Amino acid sequence: MRRSAAVLCGATVVLAGSLTAVPANASGSPSANTVQAAAAKVAWKKCATDNSPTLQCASVKVPLNYAKPSGKKITLALSRVPHTSKTYQGPLLVNPGGPGGSGTGLAAFVAGSLPKKVAAQYDVIGFDPRGVGDSKPALDCKPGYFNPVRPDSVPSTSAIEKANVSRAKAFAKACGTKYKDVLPHINTISAVKDLDSIRKALGAKKINYFGYSYGTYLGAVYAKMYPQNVRRLVLDSIVDPTGVWYEDNLDQDYAFDKRHKAFTKWVAKYNSTYKLGTDPKKIEAEWYAMRAALAKSPAGGKVGASELEDTFIPGGYYNGYWPYLADAFASYVNDKDTDLLVEAYENFAAIDSSGDNGYSIYTSVQCRDASWPRDWTKWTKDNWAVYKKAPFMAWNNAWYNAPCAFWPTKSLKPVGIANSKLPPVLLFQATDDAATPYQGGVTVHKLLKKSSLVVEQGGGNHGITLSGNSCLDKYLATYLTNGKVPRGKGTVDATCKKLADPKPLAAQPAQSTLSTAPGTATSGATLHGILGFRG
């Protein structure tokens, strides 16, 4: 799990003389006097960047255990781009997913990507969920857990399987030992209660919420627990709440395999550039031959079979990475040159300390949220069955989640999100999304009575609004402006065409090097740099 966007600001100590804002009245917003009194709970300080000159940062303290509100406190880091319009619609809380994604950088991106007239009407609020990033404590169960070279993900021998199981057990044990008192309180329900604590600290009667990926589940659970506090709700790339989390991960494997096939088909289209042939099946076979070779001799001493999978999985999240991955692939196959492959690994897959933190929260939340099979033979049976049909990510994903088979805390029960008490809700889903397959959007649309579903037909990217599709963004802007959603007669309320697939780098002179890919070239690259992978 790699978060490639730089963190824009950190938690700030509550200091006298820091910035506070008293917004004008808005529908569902408190009076000015109420806001002024409550805003004192959040002491904003300037933490401007070149891209966001009005960015502010702060922190709030919340109970570690909400059953003991007077007990130990933890700190949540916040960021804010304040409203500038006389028409004020309240706070818009944004979340990039994960679980484990840092959201402080997302506020600046959302505020800068929405139409100016729309963004000006909101305080766009980013936050690091409990345990994440600049929130304290920030968890890091086992630093260096993903250091290369790891065992092959495919357990073709008992020795390989034993090595991978031992790694998963060691990670779970490390989390339980290092964070014994904290771990039971790292879960979606606690994070939802944190959201409401943030709402109170902001002095808002209701919140507006915009979440991507896991952030859709977080938002839906918040809406279930606090429907009276929801003003507007936008969910993009939607988790299927009926499969959290074991079944959802198995479903991902099939979808990612399809996306990998879409990638090889794209490579075949540009044979004049990559010289790997025009048959997608033969190109896919070439990729697996590369994988087998790297399992025996890792590229640069870093990229073995598991690391190769890690490197190409991001291409399933965002096709803007395809040209870089294709260059690395072709260079290896045609020239036996590993330099671009190693560079691709370092850009898209190498794990730093923020990635270690993100993975620690990912496992802590998912393993605690719902029950997982505790019998490893169940995992073995299910994942071999998937592998036979969809080999690309099956075992890699299994080991990513395997600590949950040995997790030291007991499991909670998932929250049913069915809801008829909300105002109109706006949902966005791409038909070929791999990380959160299409059925999740359809399911949530049915469960949220007043929701509207906008579909990107043929789209395969994960996180589709504010990513360059003007059709999708128009629906988003309209909803945030006046609360209106499209209404259709069938399952889908509105459809947008997908964006065109990228072209090879030779046709993109402004993106001439792989190292400049994440977060710099387009709004799509910037967004996906913030969203990261595995979330």
Side-chain angles (χ1 to χ4, degrees):
M1 180 175 182
R2 181 175 181 272
R3 303 285 166 184
S4 56
V7 176
L8 295 177
C9 63
T12 59
V13 179
V14 177
L15 297 172
S18 295
L19 300 170
T20 59
V22 182
N25 289 326
S27 176
S29 298
S31 69
N33 290 336
T34 303
V35 171
Q36 190 170 25
K41 298 179 181 178
V42 181
W44 296 102
K45 292 186 66 179
K46 293 180 180 179
C47 55
T49 68
D50 290 341
N51 292 328
S52 185
T54 64
L55 190 68
Q56 302 168 358
C57 296
S59 65
V60 296
K61 291 187 179 298
V62 299
L64 171 64
N65 180 359
Y66 277 92
K68 298 179 180 178
S70 299
K72 183 178 180 180
K73 300 294 191 297
I74 60 174
T75 302
L76 305 179
L78 308 180
S79 63
R80 176 176 74 165
V81 177
H83 74 284
T84 56
S85 172
K86 291 182 179 180
T87 300
Y88 175 59
Q89 302 210 47
L92 173 63
L93 276 66
V94 297
N95 180 271
S102 168
T104 50
L106 185 59
F109 173 81
V110 170
S113 300
L114 286 170
K116 290 182 179 180
K117 290 183 178 180
V118 178
Q121 297 177 31
Y122 290 91
D123 288 338
V124 183
I125 308 290
F127 61 97
D128 283 351
R130 57 174 51 205
V132 176
D134 287 316
S135 292
K136 305 298 180 185
L139 275 59
D140 189 347
C141 295
K142 196 172 177 64
Y145 182 68
F146 287 97
N147 285 352
V149 173
R150 308 195 310 276
D152 192 329
S153 67
V154 179
S156 55
T157 68
S158 58
I160 293 174
E161 181 171 24
K162 184 178 180 180
N164 279 305
V165 168
S166 295
R167 288 185 72 251
K169 285 182 176 179
F171 186 86
K173 183 178 180 180
C175 286
T177 300
K178 196 171 183 180
Y179 300 109
K180 181 180 179 181
D181 297 332
V182 175
L183 219 55
H185 308 293
I186 306 296
N187 53 73
T188 296
I189 292 175
S190 294
V192 160
K193 293 178 180 179
D194 288 344
L195 277 179
D196 210 53
S197 292
I198 293 172
R199 176 192 65 79
K200 293 175 183 177
L202 295 173
K205 183 178 180 181
K206 296 175 182 284
I207 64 168
N208 308 281
Y209 179 90
F210 180 12
Y212 291 95
S213 193
Y214 163 77
T216 66
Y217 183 66
L218 180 66
V221 175
Y222 179 85
K224 181 65 175 183
M225 293 176 62
Y226 301 100
Q228 72 282 3
N229 296 341
V230 175
R231 183 173 179 272
R232 286 181 190 154
L233 182 65
V234 182
L235 308 179
D236 182 331
S237 303
I238 301 163
V239 167
D240 186 341
T242 65
V244 294
W245 291 110
Y246 184 73
E247 290 79 8
D248 278 352
N249 278 284
L250 293 176
D251 288 342
Q252 278 186 335
D253 297 338
Y254 294 102
F256 270 99
D257 199 77
K258 290 180 180 178
R259 287 300 287 162
H260 188 58
K261 286 178 169 59
F263 165 70
T264 58
K265 184 177 180 181
W266 179 85
V267 172
K269 179 180 178 181
Y270 293 104
N271 180 51
S272 60
T273 298
Y274 301 116
K275 313 235 180 313
L276 291 171
T278 58
D279 185 343
K281 290 184 179 180
K282 290 183 179 179
I283 293 172
E284 186 179 15
E286 197 73 69
W287 189 91
Y288 282 103
M290 175 175 66
R291 185 194 184 284
L294 292 172
K296 296 177 181 179
S297 179
K302 292 182 178 181
V303 186
S306 294
E307 290 75 24
L308 180 72
E309 291 167 345
D310 294 348
T311 303
F312 278 75
I313 284 170
Y317 284 85
Y318 176 52
N319 62 11
Y321 300 140
W322 286 0
Y324 303 93
L325 296 173
D327 270 2
F329 179 20
S331 183
Y332 180 88
V333 173
N334 296 327
D335 304 321
K336 304 304 177 187
D337 187 340
T338 63
D339 288 350
L340 286 181
L341 199 59
V342 172
E343 187 177 0
Y345 164 74
E346 291 174 343
N347 275 278
F348 299 133
I351 302 297
D352 56 15
S353 58
S354 66
D356 284 335
N357 167 237
Y359 181 67
S360 296
I361 297 300
Y362 174 92
T363 47
S364 298
V365 171
Q366 293 218 345
C367 299
R368 176 74 164 135
D369 266 5
S371 61
W372 291 74
R374 294 286 181 160
D375 182 353
W376 186 251
T377 59
K378 168 71 171 170
W379 291 68
T380 300
K381 178 182 177 181
D382 289 347
N383 285 283
W384 274 123
V386 173
Y387 179 82
K388 290 178 182 179
K389 297 179 180 180
F392 172 63
M393 197 178 81
W395 276 106
N396 188 294
N397 203 22
W399 297 120
Y400 197 83
N401 292 281
C404 292
F406 315 105
W407 203 247
T409 62
K410 293 181 180 180
S411 299
L412 301 171
K413 292 183 178 180
V415 177
I417 68 153
N419 206 325
S420 61
K421 299 179 180 179
L422 298 174
V425 172
L426 189 57
L427 312 176
F428 292 96
Q429 184 68 42
T431 56
D432 299 335
D433 184 352
T436 52
Y438 180 71
Q439 185 57 43
V442 174
T443 298
V444 171
H445 184 27
K446 292 178 180 178
L447 292 172
L448 301 184
K449 188 175 181 181
K450 295 181 181 179
S451 64
S452 288
L453 177 61
V454 180
V455 167
E456 186 181 49
Q457 188 63 43
N461 289 339
H462 179 68
I464 54 176
T465 56
L466 305 184
S467 191
N469 191 319
S470 59
C471 175
L472 297 170
D473 291 350
K474 183 178 180 180
Y475 287 111
L476 174 63
T478 297
Y479 177 67
L480 291 178
T481 299
N482 56 32
K484 292 183 179 180
V485 297
R487 294 296 185 193
K489 294 182 180 180
T491 299
V492 177
D493 295 286
T495 301
C496 292
K497 295 180 180 180
K498 73 166 189 171
L499 294 175
D501 286 338
K503 295 184 181 298
L505 291 181
Q508 302 180 46
Q511 295 172 265
S512 58
T513 63
L514 177 63
S515 61
T516 62
T520 59
T522 67
S523 59
T526 303
L527 173 63
H528 289 88
I530 295 171
L531 299 187
F533 319 122
R534 300 281 195 180

